[in-house]
Amino acid sequence: MDGTNAALQQRPPLIAPVALVTVVPDVKDNRPVNLDIGSMRLPITAWASITHRASGVFLFAAMAFLIWALDMSLRSPESFAALQDILTSPVARLILLVIMAALIYHSLAGVRHLVMDFGIGESLEGGTFSARLVIVLSIVLTLLAGLWIW
Amino acid sequence: MDMVTAVTSLGRNGLADWLIQRVTGVILLAYFLFIAWAIAGGVDYPSWKALFEQTWVKVFSLMALLSLAAHAWIGLWAVLTDYLTERLMGSTGNFLRITSQLVIALGIFIYVVLGVQILWGY
Ligand code: HEM
Ligand code: HEM
């Protein structure tokens, strides 16, 4: 008991004098910015969520490429051969790989949503674990797809 | 949810949209896995063409196409109503959001028409 009291008495006063001489912020420059994303450290679950959104928006645009490729592949033997030819170029393969990466990530994160909708893994630890799992699995599958394309 | 926002939501309410988003997501995933599996063995034109001549593949493809339409509409609606809003930018927000939705609707329409033409046209 005595020890505790002694410790308490050694504590600095609540209003430390030092606080008075620390920087008085310039109000104009230092006002907090609402949702300044750049200054925030987001948890992995937030990154997983933002990436799911970004990949979804990207995929909508990317469907134009896939529908064009489907058209080329079915129109005629000549266009099929032309498509095969185009897909040998590194640029076209890179585009295809980026689309597959987005598709793989968005799908795995989508399945994660479904699993959580069934009430599985909704805890903080469960959500963090599955977010990590989705990211790691996406990287592995994308690497495999890259190996296949090349 | 204000009226302009509500009226552009596909299922007219959040629960319907939530369910449609999930069902269409699963259909799309099944279709992409099917396509990946079909390509994985290696294809030439005759076998690829023969695959798409089967009725069930055409129907499956059409299902995926319509799922894409609904899934993209609901998904992009969720994105637009988060960022392009009256709360964040006043009436400009409403204008930009409705304009974006018109462009998206046009894009989806073109995807569906092209897809149907590819599936039944050749
Ligand atoms: C519409 C969807 C898709 C298209 C058009 C597509 C297209 C392709 C193409 C053109 C290749 C290379 C074929 C070759 O050069 O021989 C490939 C490889 C590959 N793709 Fe996809 N893909 C799609 C979806 C997916 C999905 C959903 C996954 C995974 C979940 C996936 C995983 C892979 C893998 C792992 C490889 C390499 C496979 C191997 O080594 O045998 N793809 N894909
Ligand atoms: C290839 C075409 C696809 C496109 C263009 C697309 C697009 C989108 C977009 C824009 C969103 C909204 C994201 C947000 O609100 O943050 C979304 C959400 C979602 N997507 Fe996809 N997606 C596609 C494929 C898939 C697939 C294959 C799955 C597999 C399961 C899937 C599952 C989901 C789920 C579950 C959501 C809802 C997430 C939530 O409620 O926040 N999607 N998608």
Side-chain angles (χ1 to χ4, degrees), chain A residues 66 96 100 103-104 141 144-145 148-149, chain B residues 32-33 35-36 39:
Chain A
L66 290 189
L96 187 63
M100 280 180 26
L103 189 60
I104 289 167
L141 279 179
L144 279 180
W148 182 22
I149 294 181
Chain B
F32 289 133
L33 288 176
I35 294 291
I39 296 175

Side-chain angles (χ1 to χ4, degrees), chain B residues 2-115:
Chain B
D2 65 89
M3 205 184 77
V4 191
T5 311
V7 93
T8 52
S9 128
L10 187 69
R12 295 292 174 277
N13 73 72
L15 192 61
D17 280 359
W18 176 88
L19 187 64
I20 298 171
Q21 189 76 342
R22 271 130 192 93
V23 172
T24 53
V26 170
I27 294 173
L28 283 167
L29 180 57
Y31 187 73
F32 289 133
L33 288 176
F34 162 69
I35 294 291
W37 168 81
I39 296 175
V43 280
D44 53 10
Y45 182 73
S47 65
W48 185 247
K49 177 98 176 116
L51 179 69
F52 278 87
E53 233 131 62
Q54 290 167 271
T55 305
W56 74 269
V57 177
K58 285 188 204 279
V59 172
F60 192 12
S61 303
L62 183 64
M63 253 171 74
L65 201 58
L66 297 179
S67 295
L68 173 69
H71 189 93
W73 181 259
I74 295 171
L76 295 171
W77 181 92
V79 176
L80 292 179
T81 53
D82 272 356
Y83 304 130
L84 302 182
T85 63
E86 190 162 10
R87 186 178 63 82
L88 287 180
M89 24 178 121
S91 56
T92 318
N94 286 338
F95 174 74
L96 287 179
R97 190 180 69 254
I98 300 294
T99 309
S100 310
Q101 282 175 329
L102 282 175
V103 173
I104 289 165
L106 185 66
I108 291 177
F109 180 72
I110 292 175
Y111 282 173
V112 171
V113 170
L114 280 180

Side-chain angles (χ1 to χ4, degrees), chain A residues 7 16 37 61 70 75 83 89 92 96-97 99 117 127 129 136 147 149:
Chain A
I37 302 263
L70 187 68
R75 188 182 285 271
L83 176 66
S89 97
L96 187 63
L97 187 61
I99 294 176
D117 289 340
F129 172 75
V136 170
L147 282 179
I149 294 181

